[in-house]
Amino acid sequence: MLNSHIVDRIRLPFRKEKELFSSLYQILGFYPRKIEHYKMALMHKSVAKRNAKGRPVNNERLEFLGDAILDAVVGDIVYRHFEGKREGFLTNTRSKLVQRDTLNRLAQEMGINQLILSSGHNNTHNSYVGGNAFEALVGAIYLDRGYDACMRFMQKRILCKLINIDKVAYKEVNFKSKLIEWSQKNKVRLEFPLVSQGKDDTGSPVFMYKTTLEGLEGGSGKGYSKKESQQIAAKATLQRLKREPQFIDAVFTAKGNRTKMEEEPVLNVPDTEEKQDFIIAKAKDDTTSVAKETTNDKAAVMTEKVQKTSVAGDEFDLSDITATPKEPTREDIIAAAEAAAFSEEDC
């Protein structure tokens, strides 16, 4: 019995390693040469394993390497696939292919998640575990077989079977609307100020926008249109909000300071005494108005008389426009009598 237990203990690791070889073949399309790289790629930091020198053993270093290799490989593929497309389009397409959500989906679909060695409970809370392991596997492939093997893996196992590169490239993801929605839900003040505007070497217009959340810079974006640059800036901001808890804390601290200032009471209470000086000003205005109306009426009468006179003769007759008639004097009466006497004698 003792011998059988010893045999089982010896065979158990071999069986597990054989299962790992088989599983990796299904994922990668080839058998690993140095299985140690792939074991490391699948070891999450929650295991808290250390080597003989006391240093932590996990997939973080391979994840770093795989991230750089993945950017280069996907950039190469995108460059060759979309001939003639501008740099902004190529950058956006590559970003969509290597973004965390895409890698998480790939890790789930390919069965990588089931091979990750972790403490267990962290797997469900960390949504990046699968995507990080995928990048670490790319790093392991690079160390085991080189750059060309990474290229073949992405072309044959990923882009030919799991991802439609054309659909990804032309799929519109509105990061700006997502950021606006988040800011409105959280009542955070969001702005998209223009940083710079110019032209590139070919004369094409280039725009640089950034985002500010409660006055704090979130992210910036450079593109060949205002929309494109704002989308890039919004995406960078969303990534910071997801990955940097200290940035979110700073935003909500700034928001708290602003709302606190807006809600502080005004110490100087306005005076309630009513001033009556406007009544005097109104009376003066009315008097002036009445005077103007009287003057206007007199002018209208004069104009009417002048118009009637001008119709009757060639020249203006001003005889009827006189002052109030005076009482006749004694001399006027005698002169009138003499004129009447002479008039009767002529008859």
Side-chain angles (χ1 to χ4, degrees):
M1 290 292 294
L2 181 61
N3 291 336
S4 63
H5 283 298
I6 294 174
V7 171
D8 287 341
R9 286 188 177 181
I10 293 173
R11 289 177 179 176
L12 186 58
F14 174 77
R15 288 174 185 172
K16 281 194 172 182
E17 197 157 291
K18 187 176 180 181
E19 291 174 2
L20 179 59
F21 265 94
S22 177
S23 298
L24 287 173
Y25 180 81
Q26 295 297 322
I27 293 170
L28 307 175
F30 57 84
Y31 286 108
R33 291 173 179 169
K34 295 182 179 179
I35 192 63
E36 293 79 14
H37 295 315
Y38 301 91
K39 286 181 177 180
M40 183 74 72
L42 297 170
M43 187 174 295
H44 188 254
K45 64 180 179 180
S46 63
V47 176
K49 186 176 179 180
R50 294 182 178 274
N51 60 16
K53 295 182 179 180
R55 294 175 180 173
V57 178
N58 55 54
N59 63 0
E60 287 186 337
R61 283 171 53 82
L62 277 176
E63 177 194 336
F64 165 79
L65 178 61
D67 178 55
I69 299 300
L70 199 58
D71 271 351
V73 168
V74 174
D76 191 341
I77 293 171
V78 169
Y79 178 83
R80 297 175 190 278
H81 186 82
F82 297 102
E83 187 177 351
K85 289 293 184 180
R86 286 181 171 178
E87 180 267 344
F89 175 87
L90 300 178
T91 300
N92 286 341
T93 303
R94 182 184 62 185
S95 298
K96 293 174 187 177
L97 289 169
V98 300
Q99 68 181 349
R100 195 61 53 181
D101 292 339
T102 304
L103 299 184
N104 289 339
R105 283 288 304 276
L106 287 173
Q108 182 65 39
E109 293 293 328
M110 299 172 74
I112 295 174
N113 288 358
Q114 285 71 34
L115 300 179
I116 297 173
L117 182 62
S118 70
S119 61
H121 61 278
N122 287 333
N123 233 358
T124 56
H125 293 286
N126 189 346
S127 60
Y128 300 146
V129 170
N132 293 344
F134 184 94
E135 288 181 334
L137 274 178
V138 173
I141 295 170
Y142 176 75
L143 293 178
D144 187 35
R145 289 176 172 261
Y147 180 85
D148 290 341
C150 295
M151 177 68 75
R152 288 193 298 271
F153 168 69
M154 287 301 299
Q155 286 178 325
K156 295 181 179 180
R157 309 297 293 186
I158 306 300
L159 298 179
C160 289
K161 293 185 176 182
L162 297 174
I163 293 180
N164 185 323
I165 189 171
D166 293 297
K167 275 190 175 182
V168 171
Y170 294 103
K171 180 183 178 183
E172 182 66 30
V173 181
N174 197 333
F175 296 108
K176 183 178 179 181
S177 66
K178 287 185 177 183
L179 182 60
I180 291 173
E181 182 182 357
W182 179 88
S183 65
Q184 289 176 345
K185 283 182 178 179
N186 292 279
K187 298 181 179 179
V188 170
R189 184 172 292 173
L190 169 66
E191 294 178 335
F192 284 84
L194 176 65
V195 177
S196 63
Q197 179 178 348
K199 294 185 177 181
D200 64 6
D201 297 336
T202 62
S204 301
V206 178
F207 302 88
M208 172 76 80
Y209 274 86
K210 69 177 181 179
T211 63
T212 58
L213 300 172
E214 295 294 344
L216 302 175
E217 183 172 344
S220 61
K222 185 178 182 181
Y224 289 100
S225 67
K226 294 180 180 179
K227 181 181 178 181
E228 181 186 359
S229 57
Q230 289 177 357
Q231 286 285 349
I232 297 172
K235 181 183 178 182
T237 306
L238 288 170
Q239 289 175 336
R240 286 195 67 189
L241 290 170
K242 262 193 168 185
R243 299 175 182 177
E244 301 178 23
Q246 66 274 18
F247 177 60
I248 296 181
D249 292 341
V251 169
F252 280 98
T253 299
K255 174 193 170 184
N257 293 335
R258 173 179 61 82
T259 54
K260 183 180 178 182
M261 290 177 62
E262 291 176 353
E263 292 172 0
E264 284 182 353
V266 180
L267 297 180
N268 296 327
V269 181
D271 192 0
T272 57
E273 182 180 353
E274 297 183 10
K275 295 182 179 181
Q276 303 295 331
D277 54 352
F278 68 90
I279 297 176
I280 299 173
K282 190 173 186 300
K284 286 181 179 179
D285 292 340
D286 290 345
T287 304
T288 306
S289 176
V290 171
K292 286 181 179 179
E293 288 177 4
T294 305
T295 305
N296 291 339
D297 291 341
K298 289 182 178 179
V301 173
M302 291 284 290
T303 303
E304 184 178 355
K305 288 183 177 181
V306 171
Q307 288 174 346
K308 288 180 179 178
T309 305
S310 64
V311 173
D314 295 334
E315 295 181 359
F316 289 117
D317 182 6
L318 305 180
S319 60
D320 60 338
I321 307 176
T322 60
T324 305
K326 298 180 180 180
E327 292 293 330
T329 61
R330 184 171 180 277
E331 288 77 13
D332 294 333
I333 295 172
I334 294 173
E338 289 178 347
F342 285 120
S343 174
E344 290 175 357
E345 287 178 358
D346 292 339
C347 296

